[in-house]
């Protein structure tokens, strides 16, 4: 029985100190959805008995079958909290928690980014056996760059007790190591405005428990119990219950070393006061000592119903632990007390979120989370509705109030302040509350809450800013930690179904924050995703949901390559314009190590002030200071990792042809000379230019094709190379399966970079690099080699040169170039230099 009404939720929405927007993040299979269940059961949406098995937030059929989360799902929950636990600034004891359950699989980490944008706090779940893994680190880093406050849940504690059967001191050590590793990551990405957000059990920001069995606790729970019993202050006890604190029963005093007054070892306080009762309960129940169990239940005043008394083993354990230490209570207390309300969070998040000046009316309204200010709403993702092909726009109101029927300005991803493109003025048909599998209609939603909008999906591609104010700038675009490097070509089996496919691709592009659907010049429809699994899910959706079951043919997955140069040009190349009146002289050279990555990460970008950018380039990369200031443009798409630099001295009319050269450079770097792939890490220098004195003879038509030919010639003289994307593979495996991993990687040009033993477990942690083009079918192959014991996670890591010389027919590089040219239907062989080079 749902124990709240929409009316109650709407009332709390106005009390902005009583709202918590949070999302659950973790490595794959560390138990996010299972843990979320106990929170949902507490709010009465699912039955308590089902919690842990229902996985309510896995709404899709394939999520239930595969047992993984694919899309992040939002639920709004209403709770009333005991009066003595309510934080100081709250208004009443009723709270609204907007919870988002996000996927842990690295292929879907774009979903996590979208979920983090609309939350203020994050519940980080870590498996107590496996510890902090690669994806835990990635999601934590994403959370901290978005300025989101974390709290930690150490999950699957039942495995430590039942499977590994650790004794108390070992369990304490293993858990404290996990917490320490998490804190190291948090400290690495420290943000001044956010302050110190490391998690400490004695501050109440770490919970322990088991999502599957539905029990969990924070130290406050036990401190409360013992404070009543001993008559000590709770805060004093909290600090004693963690770390090197020991209670000597003989002298009744606290000590910091484990030797008692009578010379015997005494257990640490955490073990003695917290683990001991839990261990005793587990032991008695699993060994089926009925009388012991009954005596303990009396001491803990837990009543079992008559049918529950019949249970034995794990079922009884689950029932009793749920009553003794309910997980939802511990988590709720952590969420309410330690995660910020929108009022607190938006004060420090506005700097990262809002593009415009930080003191205009919109920024001020966001900073104060003002429901009466101008509306600022960020749509972070599109959620498919039951109605085929239509979407809810899911987002968060940062300022103002969004109402049904309100007229708003919709600013898409390509909108630039002051221009008209990608801007629509439309009205919102309905506003709804997202509740996992279903939605609830609601009149209006004030600042600080998440909301679903109906009727604006035609105007939004993936994300957008919605505002009522004419002067509002858009919100900052989300930055994803993975990039779409795996592509497939899709075509319908019957040509008559082509319009359906085109329509379906449009919808697919909306439904996922990362996927890219493009049409190549050859007429192919390309779908690009982050990895094999991501693409598989996207194509399944495309065929079943968005194309209405039309049979499709898909090509084998293809990897995007990049082109680069590996030396300074062997000569200065010359190109003449068609009318022979203008000449351009150029050379090309590779970027210094690390510069392309800096441009990708926006450390250096096209909007920077030329002087400060020039200083970074000359200090860090040793470029000539005057040249570093004369960067004409970046390319492709004016933001890519290639540059044109003007190294000329005293050329007349040079500025008039700048636009034409820039346009030619965008064209040349988008379709490189070897195989028409994007370029990366090339610096083109304009050495000299001679121009005709009449403006009419040096127009765009004369300059653009000439400059493009000149760029190509420069690239060809600088020993061009192909770059391929490389995955960082992280594999967790028992020691006996390592041989299979090595043989599997060696077959696929992969190499291991590190392997470390997890202390206290038989697990090994292997890290390796694996080229993306070799990664198809890698997971299946690895599992068959290691009889299913190794579990790989692949994350795009960097670009590396393909081995060999593209001009030598039998080299790897040449095979890559030939296969790409064949696929694109270009002439065989790399075009010769004479095609582009002119003689004096």
């Amino acid at each position: 029985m749902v124990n709240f009404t929409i009316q109650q939720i709407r009332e709390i929405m106005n009390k902005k100190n009583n709202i918590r927007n949070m999302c659950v993040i973790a490595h794959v299979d560390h138990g996010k959805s299972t843990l979320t269940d106990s929170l949902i059961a507490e709010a009465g949406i699912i039955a308590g008995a089902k919690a842990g098995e229902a996985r309510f937030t896995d709404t899709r059929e394939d999520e239930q079958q595969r047992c993984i989360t694919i899309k992040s799902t939002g639920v709004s929950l209403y709770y009333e909290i005991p009066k003595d636990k309510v934080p100081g600034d709250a208004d009443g004891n009723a709270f609204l928690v907007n919870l988002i359950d996000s996927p842990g699989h690295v292929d879907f980490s774009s979903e996590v980014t979208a979920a983090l944008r609309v939350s203020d706090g994050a519940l980080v779940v870590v498996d107590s056996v496996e510890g902090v893994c690669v994806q835990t680190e990635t999601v934590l880093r994403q959370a901290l760059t978005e300025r989101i406050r974390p709290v930690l849940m150490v999950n699957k504690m039942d495995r430590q007790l039942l499977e590994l059967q650790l004794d108390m001191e070992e369990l304490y050590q293993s858990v404290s190591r996990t917490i320490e590793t998490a804190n190291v990551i948090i400290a690495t990405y420290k943000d001044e405005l956010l302050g110190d957000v490391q998690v400490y059990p004695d501050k109440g920001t770490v919970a322990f428990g088991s999502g599957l069995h539905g029990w969990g606790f924070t130290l406050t729970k036990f401190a409360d119990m013992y404070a009543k019993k001993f008559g000590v202050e709770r805060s004093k006890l909290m600090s004693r219950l963690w770390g090197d604190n020991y209670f000597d029963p003989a002298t009744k005093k606290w000590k910091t070393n484990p030797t008692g007054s009578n010379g015997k070892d005494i257990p640490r306080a955490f073990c003695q006061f917290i683990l001991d009762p839990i261990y005793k309960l587990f032991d008695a129940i699993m060994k089926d000592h009925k009388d012991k169990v009954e005596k303990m239940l009396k001491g803990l005043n837990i009543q079992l119903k008559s049918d529950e008394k019949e249970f034995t083993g794990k079922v009884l354990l689950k029932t009793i632990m749920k009553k003794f230490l309910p997980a939802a209570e511990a988590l709720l207390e952590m969420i309410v007390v330690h995660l910020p309300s929108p009022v607190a969070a938006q004060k420090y998040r506005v700097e990262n979120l809002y593009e415009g000046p930080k003191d205009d009316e919109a920024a001020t309204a966001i900073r104060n989370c003002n429901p009466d200010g101008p509306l600022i709403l960020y749509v972070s993702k599109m959620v498919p509705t039951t109605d085929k092909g239509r979407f809810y726009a899911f987002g968060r109101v940062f300022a103002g109030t969004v109402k049904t029927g309100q007229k708003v300005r919709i600013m898409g991803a390509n909108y630039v302040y002051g221009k008209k493109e990608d801007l629509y003025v439309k009205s919102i048909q309905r506003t709804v509350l997202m509740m996992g599998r279903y939605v609830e209609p609601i009149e209006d939603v004030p600042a600080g809450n998440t909301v679903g909008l109906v009727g604006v999906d035609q105007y939004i591609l993936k994300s957008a800013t919605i505002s009522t104010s004419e002067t509002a700038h858009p919100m900052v675009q989300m930055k994803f930690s993975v990039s779409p490097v795996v592509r497939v070509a899709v075509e319908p089996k019957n040509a008559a179904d082509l319009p359906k496919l085109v329509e379906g691709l449009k919808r697919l592009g909306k439904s996922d924050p990362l996927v890219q659907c493009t049409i190549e010049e050859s007429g192919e429809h390309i779908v690009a995703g982050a990895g094999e699994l991501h693409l598989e899910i996207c194509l399944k959706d495309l065929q079943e949901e968005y194309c209405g079951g039309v049979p499709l043919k898909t090509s084998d997955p293809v990897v995007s390559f990049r082109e680069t140069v590996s030396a300074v040009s062997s000569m200065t190349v010359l190109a003449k314009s068609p009318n022979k009146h203008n000449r351009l002289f150029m050379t090309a050279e590779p970027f210094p190590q690390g510069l392309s990555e800096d441009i990708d990460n926006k450390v250096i970008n096209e909007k920077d002030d030329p002087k400060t950018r020039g200083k970074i380039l000359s200090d860090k990369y040793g470029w000539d200071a005057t040249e570093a200031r004369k960067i004409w443009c970046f390319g492709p798409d004016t933001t890519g990792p290639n540059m044109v630099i003007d190294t000329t001295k005293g050329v007349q009319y040079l500025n008039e042809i700048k636009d034409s050269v820039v346009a030619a450079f965008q064209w040349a770097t988008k379709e490189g000379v070897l195989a028409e792939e994007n370029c990366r890490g090339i610096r083109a220098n304009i050495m000299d230019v001679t121009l005709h004195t009449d403006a009419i003879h040096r127009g765009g038509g004369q300059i653009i094709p000439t400059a493009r030919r000149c760029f190509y010639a420069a690239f060809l003289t600088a020993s061009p190379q192909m770059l391929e994307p490389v995955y960082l593979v992280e594999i967790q495996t028992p020691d006996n399966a390592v041989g299979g991993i090595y043989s599997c990687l060696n077959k696929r040009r992969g190499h291991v970079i590190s392997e470390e033993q997890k202390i206290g477990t038989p697990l090994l942690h292997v890290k390796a690099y694996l080229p993306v083009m070799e990664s198809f079918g890698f997971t299946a192959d690895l599992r068959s080699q290691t009889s299913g014991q190794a579990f790989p996670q692949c994350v795009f890591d960097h670009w590396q040169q393909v081995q060999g010389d593209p001009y030598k027919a039998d080299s790897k590089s040449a095979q890559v170039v030939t296969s790409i040219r064949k696929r694109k239907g270009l002439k065989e062989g790399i075009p010769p230099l004479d095609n582009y080079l002119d003689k004096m």
Side-chain angles (χ1 to χ4, degrees), residues 7 14 139 169 202 291 359 385 399 443 507 536 564 583 593 595 623 628 632 656 715 745 786 816:
Q7 204 51 47
N14 295 332
V139 290
E169 184 59 27
D202 47 351
D291 44 344
D359 52 2
T385 61
E443 282 278 292
R507 292 177 189 157
E536 186 186 326
T564 187
R583 292 175 185 178
Q593 193 94 35
L595 180 54
W623 283 15
W632 270 13
E656 294 181 23
F715 296 168
L745 281 168
T786 58
V816 168

Side-chain angles (χ1 to χ4, degrees), residues 305-322:
K305 296 197 186 90
S306 50
D307 57 337
E308 292 173 339
K309 288 184 178 156
E310 317 289 273
F311 296 161
T312 54
K314 279 198 176 171
V315 188
L316 178 64
L317 180 69
K318 187 173 169 176
T319 318
I320 291 179
M321 288 305 286
K322 244 187 197 164

